[in-house]
Amino acid sequence: MLSRVADSIYWMNRYIERAENYARFIGVNFNLAFDLPPSVSEQWEPLLIATADNYLFYQHYDEPTRENVINFMTFDKRNPNSIYTCISAARENGRTIRESISKEMWENLNQLYLWLRTVQPKEEWDLNHMQDFYSEVRNGTQLFYGIVDATITRNEAWHFGRLGRFMERADKTSRFLDVSYFTLMPDSDVTGSTLELVLWTAVLKSVSAYNMYRQQNQVLTPKHIAEFLILDKLFPRAMAHCIRQAELSLYEISGTPTSNRFSNQAEKKMGKLRSEIEYTDIEDIFETGLHQYLDQFQIRGNEVSKAIFETYFDIKPVEAFQYQSQS
């Protein structure tokens, strides 16, 4: 497979996953808005800090109000991570490789993009309208993945897309958990209170994990919730599950038997990250500090992504052939 095609498939899936997760990020605050007591005001800046978009945000906006944050994270073309920008980038990647994807994939992606172009931002600032809008974004991206699984041969292209999806999902789940840290940080009195539990419950609901969590745990506690979203090997949005699935696709791409250690730097770094999660328990994480652990995970995840780029997508310099005459 051409590296250009593999790169486009990989990033098409990452952009779609990122768009869905940004819709879920905002869903965290929507869930909170309905559950918080009237005396507690909504907080939107933690979303910007957890996603590392706060520096760019303050270059264009003065205050992290609901309207400003929603516009920046959803519609602002100046934000490379906004939902609009991500879906536009995913569509452009899909357009350049239409011969490598199914007709149904392209039609769904194009339809989602065209629908998003018709949305007027200010009309979506009402809570009920916003909930419907972000539900449509999530439904559209989930439909895309359903079409991928139903119409694509399990070849290299499928595994590159799967690799991109799970790498992005692992990173964003870690950032969902970090939202709680940045929301609680300004007020130490909240720690251990009912309000803290409301926030953690909102995080579970926003990653569609509430029902699966309650099947395994009778009590809602921050430690159990963090353990479920970080270390569970079966829940599809848990960090451990995502990294393991990404690693399996990485080995399928290279053709290296999983019994072997690794055949390139991407597999080496991915394997080290997977092993680190596999041999960690929740006590270790809370002893280190949840925020500190998640921050290190994001750094290691970025290193894996860089190794994937250098292994498969980077343009390698070609050494000039020098003709040597025979004497």
Side-chain angles (χ1 to χ4, degrees), residues 44-318:
W44 290 90
E45 189 176 30
L47 272 68
L48 299 170
I49 300 174
T51 56
D53 289 330
N54 51 316
Y55 302 105
L56 181 60
F57 175 84
Y58 285 110
Q59 293 179 20
H60 304 291
Y61 298 88
D62 295 326
E63 297 291 335
T65 62
R66 178 202 293 177
E67 290 77 9
N68 286 345
V69 173
I70 287 175
N71 187 66
F72 179 73
M73 295 185 71
T74 308
F75 303 105
D76 200 328
K77 298 178 183 179
R78 298 170 297 184
N79 178 11
N81 296 320
S82 71
I83 292 174
Y84 181 89
T85 304
C86 286
I87 291 179
S88 299
R91 177 185 179 272
E92 180 60 21
N93 276 283
R95 186 190 64 80
T96 62
I97 54 168
R98 287 185 62 178
E99 73 284 354
S100 301
I101 63 177
S102 67
K103 174 176 174 287
E104 291 81 4
M105 281 177 61
W106 166 249
E107 289 177 348
N108 171 261
L109 192 53
N110 194 46
Q111 183 179 3
L112 182 61
Y113 166 76
L114 293 176
W115 166 76
L116 188 59
R117 286 188 60 183
T118 66
V119 176
Q120 297 299 319
K122 290 188 178 181
E123 294 179 2
E124 310 304 327
W125 290 348
D126 174 78
L127 274 178
N128 291 327
H129 282 96
M130 285 190 294
Q131 285 282 52
D132 293 339
F133 168 76
Y134 291 111
S135 292
E136 284 294 321
V137 173
R138 292 195 300 270
N139 290 340
T141 55
Q142 289 166 3
L143 176 60
F144 174 80
Y145 286 133
I147 291 173
V148 170
D149 284 342
T151 63
I152 294 296
T153 302
R154 272 46 176 173
N155 53 16
E156 284 185 348
W158 187 75
H159 283 290
F160 270 115
R162 194 169 178 270
L163 175 62
R165 182 198 317 179
F166 280 113
M167 286 300 299
E168 186 69 27
R169 185 176 296 177
D171 176 78
K172 292 302 178 286
T173 296
S174 73
R175 296 181 186 276
F176 272 115
L177 285 166
D178 238 5
V179 169
S180 62
Y181 170 82
F182 290 113
T183 301
L184 296 173
M185 185 173 59
D187 189 358
S188 59
D189 295 334
V190 173
T191 305
S193 68
T194 304
L195 184 57
E196 181 188 30
L197 188 58
V198 168
L199 173 63
W200 281 97
T201 302
V203 171
L204 273 178
K205 291 179 178 178
S206 297
V207 294
S208 302
Y210 183 78
N211 296 105
M212 296 301 101
Y213 172 85
R214 291 309 298 265
Q215 288 182 15
Q216 297 185 30
N217 300 274
Q218 296 180 350
V219 181
L220 286 163
T221 66
K223 184 170 288 189
H224 286 157
I225 293 171
E227 181 178 22
F228 183 75
L229 292 180
I230 296 173
L231 302 177
D232 193 274
K233 296 179 180 180
L234 300 179
F235 182 66
R237 304 195 76 85
M239 291 157 53
H241 176 84
C242 292
I243 292 301
R244 178 54 177 161
Q245 295 304 310
E247 183 185 36
L248 290 174
S249 282
L250 203 55
Y251 275 83
E252 288 290 336
I253 290 168
S254 67
T256 304
T258 53
S259 57
N260 290 15
R261 291 180 61 201
F262 56 84
S263 63
N264 54 55
Q265 284 299 306
E267 292 174 2
K268 178 181 178 180
K269 289 184 179 295
M270 182 78 83
K272 290 177 69 175
L273 180 58
R274 189 260 306 158
S275 297
E276 185 178 279
I277 297 176
E278 201 168 87
Y279 290 96
T280 297
D281 59 35
I282 195 62
E283 300 300 332
D284 296 332
I285 293 173
F286 272 78
E287 184 177 339
T288 302
L290 180 60
H291 169 66
Q292 288 74 17
Y293 176 84
L294 294 173
D295 192 50
Q296 284 300 310
F297 175 85
Q298 290 157 17
I299 293 172
R300 297 285 295 278
N302 290 337
E303 292 173 354
V304 173
S305 296
K306 181 181 178 182
I308 292 171
F309 170 78
E310 292 174 346
T311 302
Y312 291 107
F313 309 141
D314 196 13
I315 299 176
K316 307 293 193 303
V318 179

